[in-house]
Amino acid sequence: MKVALAPAALDPWAEVSAHQQSLRPGAFGATAVFVGTMRDFNDGEAVEGMFLEHYPGMTEAHLERIAAEALARWDLLDVLVVHRVGEIAPGEPIVVTAAWSAHRGEAFAACRYLMGELKSRAPFWKKERLREGERWVAFKTPAEE
Amino acid sequence: MGFRAGMIGLHSRDDNAIRLPAMTIQVNVRLFASLRERVGCGEAVLELPAGATAAEAWARLADGPLPDNTLVAVNREYTDAGHRLADGDELAFFPPVTGG
C-alpha cells in the first residue's frame, strides 16, 4: 500500500508506474487508475488557481484507513493513493488512485471506493482563485457531481 | 489526573473534606478552511471546565452557534458536538471536506 501527500507537482503516471515495479509481474491482470485533474472552470466561472488545505496527521491517517479498507474488502494485490496539497494550477493533477487485482471487477470497484471515500471523509478543502476574489468550494454529494 | 479526580469525588462526601477548586482541562483547538478564517486563527489553547463538550468549546471561540454542517474531530477522529472533552485533547472544527 502506498499513501502519500504531494506538496509539489504530481505525475500520476510516474506514481502508478513506479509503484507497479514493486508488484510481482504476472501476479496481477488488472490495473484500474483514476486521475483527478484541476479544471479551469467550476460552477459557471473561470478558475485561475486553487489552494488545497489539509489537516496534517488526520488527512494521512484517514487516507491510510480508506486504503486498508479497500484491501480488506476486495481481493487486491495493492492500492495507491497520492493527493496534492498546497497551491495548484489548472491542468495539474490533484489526485491519483490505483488498484491492482487478478481480474478487472475488483480493481474497478476498489478504485471507485478509494475515490468515493476520499471525497467524503478525507480532510481536504479547496479554495478557488477567480478573476475577482476567491471562494471555498462547496461540498457536493455524489449525485450532485 | 483521572485518579486524582476520583479521590476528590470520594472526599467531597466527607464533612471534613478540604474544598478544592473546580477541575479545569486544557484542549488544543484546530480550525480549518472557512472556519479558520471566520474565527481568525488556526490554532488556540482553551481552558475549559472538566466535562465541557466540543460545542461549549466552540462557544468560547466564536459568536453564534456552530454552523449546521460543521464537522468535529477529537484526537483526529470524527465525532459530534456533544463529545465530552478530556485534558490534552486535540479538538478540530472544519467545514465539509472537498478533496479529490
Side-chain angles (χ1 to χ4, degrees):
Chain A
M1 183 212 294
K2 179 180 176 180
V3 170
L5 296 178
L10 159 68
D11 179 346
W13 315 112
E15 291 284 348
V16 170
S17 175
H19 193 69
Q20 191 163 291
Q21 301 297 313
S22 69
L23 307 177
R24 184 177 66 78
F28 55 91
T31 309
V33 178
F34 174 84
V35 177
T37 302
M38 190 189 155
R39 294 183 303 267
D40 64 4
F41 63 94
N42 193 28
D43 287 334
E45 291 218 57
V47 182
E48 300 191 336
M50 189 162 74
F51 185 76
L52 271 160
E53 184 170 332
H54 73 293
Y55 182 169
M58 183 168 174
T59 304
E60 296 90 323
H62 278 71
L63 291 179
E64 280 168 19
R65 193 175 301 171
I66 292 164
E69 287 167 6
L71 286 169
R73 185 159 164 186
W74 289 281
D75 189 9
L76 305 169
L77 267 92
D78 211 352
V79 295
L80 165 82
V81 180
V82 186
H83 200 291
R84 270 297 305 275
V85 294
E87 206 51 54
I88 180 165
E92 289 184 353
I94 299 170
V95 60
V96 54
T97 59
W100 288 265
S101 59
H103 304 285
R104 70 183 183 285
E106 304 205 291
F108 273 133
C111 193
R112 174 179 284 274
Y113 178 83
L114 292 171
M115 272 311 296
E117 295 302 299
L118 182 156
K119 284 192 89 79
S120 64
R121 289 157 62 190
F124 291 104
W125 304 273
K126 290 175 178 150
K127 189 175 204 180
E128 294 175 336
R129 240 187 359 267
L130 310 175
R131 212 154 290 160
E132 282 172 34
E134 325 179 292
R135 66 180 176 192
W136 289 102
V137 172
F139 175 78
K140 289 191 171 89
T141 64
E144 293 169 327
E145 281 173 353
Chain B
M1 280 310 259
F3 179 69
R4 236 188 111 216
M7 292 301 285
I8 292 164
L10 284 173
H11 278 239
S12 67
R13 290 191 206 142
D14 184 336
D15 287 339
N16 300 321
I18 300 163
R19 270 200 161 309
L20 293 174
M23 290 253 305
T24 60
I25 57 169
Q26 226 177 46
V27 298
N28 301 302
V29 185
R30 310 284 309 266
L31 301 155
F32 293 94
S34 53
L35 295 187
R36 173 174 48 74
E37 291 179 346
R38 180 178 158 179
V39 173
C41 68
E43 292 189 49
V45 176
L46 285 183
E47 200 152 296
L48 298 163
T53 63
E56 287 159 4
W58 173 262
R60 289 280 195 88
L61 293 166
D63 294 329
L66 198 59
D68 268 349
N69 51 8
T70 299
L71 298 173
V72 180
V74 172
N75 299 329
R76 302 173 181 181
E77 294 289 348
Y78 287 106
T79 182
D80 55 66
H83 186 110
R84 290 199 181 280
L85 300 164
D87 192 43
D89 275 350
E90 181 173 293
L91 166 66
F93 296 105
F94 46 82
V97 301
T98 55

